[in-house]
Amino acid sequence: MPALPTSAVIGVIGAGAMGAGIAQVAAQAGHQVILHDNQPGAAKAGIDNIRRQLEQRVAKGKMSQGDVDNIIARLQPADAIDALADSHLVIEAIVENLEIKRQVFAQLEALCSPGTLLASNTSSLSITSIAANLERPERMAGLHFFNPAPVMKLVEVVSGLATTNEAADTLFDTAIAWGKVAVHASSTPGFIVNRVARPFYAEGLRLLQESASDAATLDALMRQAGGFRMGPFELMDLIGHDVNYAVTRSVFDAYYGDTRFKPSLVQHALVEAKRLGRKSGQGFYDYPREGQREGTEKPQPKFAAPVNTKLPALVVQGANGTIAPLLERAQEAGLDVVHRESLQQDGTPRLYLGDLILALSDGRCAAERAVNEGLEALVLFDLCLDYRSASAIALAASHTTSPEARQLATAFFQRLGMDVAWLTDTPGLVVLRTVAMLANEAADAVLQGVCSAQDGDLAMQAGVNYPRGPLAWADSLGLPFVHRTLTHLQQSYGEERYRSSFLLRRKALSEESFHE
Ligand code: NAD
């Protein structure tokens, strides 16, 4: 279906943070927009606010005053809902309350023509449920923008049970015409992004709760090794713990208590203490209030002090594509790298520095691998987005590993120019377990028909700036490895939370990938 033409009038209900932003996006794309809010004067205030923000862009030379005037001329405030009668599409962005939203859509149905498309920007309510009492629920869908709507690229086009493909496709193409990245999703709890992103927070919280390391070190590892723009703790502080906890709770409840979405006691305690993050001045970190300077320095990650030890040749057994860039980096750092035939049955690569074995984590802790495989000196290292450019890495040693062998491991990664963070011996370390769980959640969303693999990856990159789509990342690691990692995590904890998605398992067994 083609996008709505710019001659189509767009109605927006709710002139708060989201509604005003969406109205701005539609007006910038060339539509006449009627912005309605039931608080007298709120719609006009919303448009005044848009003007102020656009004029800041003029001051920075990013926009002309003429463009601003044209955009503002296309925005019309309305205190009465009747003004939306001639709209071709109405997007609702009012309070997140099912009953109130249902009432507003019932009013719209009575007011607008039968061909008017109806959309809700809800982040957590079911589109099927909002549309249930409509006479024509087939023309209603979710159009989920992210905050701030003029900046964030992603729009999830959410189909309820009754939504026609025609309606969803028109909204999809319209979002694209408005300069957005659009993805299709079916109306299920959390849609794509708010569901697939849960492990990003949950695994961080779990590592903290289990004293694997501290928040600053875990954040630094997710940035410097994982390539994420922010670590989970700084991101939760930015989102606000009340909001982040509420989303987790709502997804957990909506999936009937599936332990994969289980909220964290660590975060609950912050909410109880009203340490909501940046907005309250305190969360995992402290934030300076106005006029306050002292006592708010951000804690630094705990990286190992420099170790200067002569390094023996690196003997490589069974290297695979994942760690090949690490070996290239070692060679470039002047180390002797010697390849040997693989002796591991599962093809898992091992690196030897004298008697010390370095191995990529596979979801088991170092103690378990050392005991099972009869190894004395074993250090596990974490996954990196790109071993060539990563500037930090997490390590964990088995209880059998001597302090000297640990020093050797530190010296090796430091020689490559990486900061080294020693974790307590934790299964799956930090980046690997998070990426495996993100991919697992995305795989289940695909299995359940919530989205395609392509849209799942696109949503996570455009919606929350992930450096790589979780499924493409899993493909590149090899699905058998990701499946094995999850199975090991499940065995390590004895928890269903880490169970592998059946789709991931099937694809691993049949040597398929998510993206052919
Ligand atoms: P907000 O509180 O900033 O704004 C809501 C606006 O709706 C207010 O101006 C209010 O006066 C108006 N309103 C309330 N009831 C109304 C009614 N019956 N008729 C007309 N106007 C009414 O809220 P927001 O953050 O903009 O969120 C709006 C919607 O967008 C919610 O459904 C929310 O879940 C969703 N959403 C929010 C975000 C976010 O980060 N804030 C992101 C994506 C989606």
Side-chain angles (χ1 to χ4, degrees), residues 223-394:
R223 274 187 275 105
Q224 292 178 235
F228 290 88
R229 265 206 213 160
M230 295 178 89
F233 304 102
E234 48 205 6
L235 183 54
M236 284 184 275
D237 269 7
L238 180 68
I239 294 169
H241 291 285
D242 49 346
V243 174
N244 191 262
Y245 181 76
V247 175
T248 303
R249 268 232 74 121
S250 96
V251 174
F252 176 65
D253 292 342
Y255 280 106
Y256 305 108
D258 187 331
T259 52
R260 217 142 73 191
F261 304 109
K262 198 164 156 187
S264 163
L265 287 175
V266 173
Q267 191 172 39
H268 186 227
L270 289 180
V271 175
E272 282 184 310
K274 298 198 168 53
R275 293 187 187 183
L276 303 181
R278 279 176 186 269
K279 62 186 172 191
S280 72
Q282 199 179 21
F284 285 110
Y285 302 105
D286 290 339
Y287 300 91
R289 290 167 208 269
E290 235 167 281
Q292 179 197 350
R293 271 165 187 256
E294 287 183 13
T296 53
E297 285 94 42
K298 202 173 170 187
Q300 293 303 305
K302 292 193 179 67
F303 290 134
V307 175
N308 278 317
T309 306
K310 193 169 173 337
L311 288 164
L314 181 72
V315 177
V316 181
Q317 203 180 44
N320 66 14
T322 304
I323 64 158
L326 182 75
L327 306 181
E328 285 165 26
R329 193 165 168 176
Q331 230 152 7
E332 280 163 24
L335 292 170
D336 280 339
V337 179
V338 181
H339 288 268
R340 244 200 247 153
E341 287 283 291
S342 171
L343 298 177
Q344 305 325 315
Q345 279 190 340
D346 60 2
T348 316
R350 274 186 193 172
L351 312 180
Y352 291 83
L353 285 171
D355 293 335
L356 167 67
I357 297 171
L358 297 171
L360 173 63
S361 169
D362 67 357
R364 288 176 294 172
C365 66
E368 183 177 346
R369 283 173 76 164
V371 170
N372 286 356
E373 294 167 33
L375 307 174
E376 201 162 302
L378 174 67
V379 169
L380 300 182
F381 60 88
D382 199 2
L383 177 68
C384 292
L385 171 68
D386 178 0
Y387 283 105
R388 282 198 74 89
S389 56
S391 58
I393 195 157

Side-chain angles (χ1 to χ4, degrees), residues 7 57 170 186 354 450 485 503:
S7 57
R57 292 178 61 81
T170 304
S186 69
V450 176
T485 299
L503 183 60

Side-chain angles (χ1 to χ4, degrees), residues 211-226:
S211 305
S213 189
D214 57 277
T217 307
L218 293 168
D219 272 345
L221 288 166
M222 287 300 281
R223 274 187 275 105
Q224 292 178 235

Side-chain angles (χ1 to χ4, degrees), residues 13-19 36-39 93-96 100-101 104 121-123 144-145 147:
I13 310 189
M18 293 308 294
H36 159 65
D37 198 290
N38 68 352
Q39 296 299 312
I94 64 167
V95 59
E96 188 77 338
I100 301 179
K101 285 194 197 283
V104 163
N121 186 50
T122 180
S123 14
H144 186 211
F145 288 79
N147 191 13

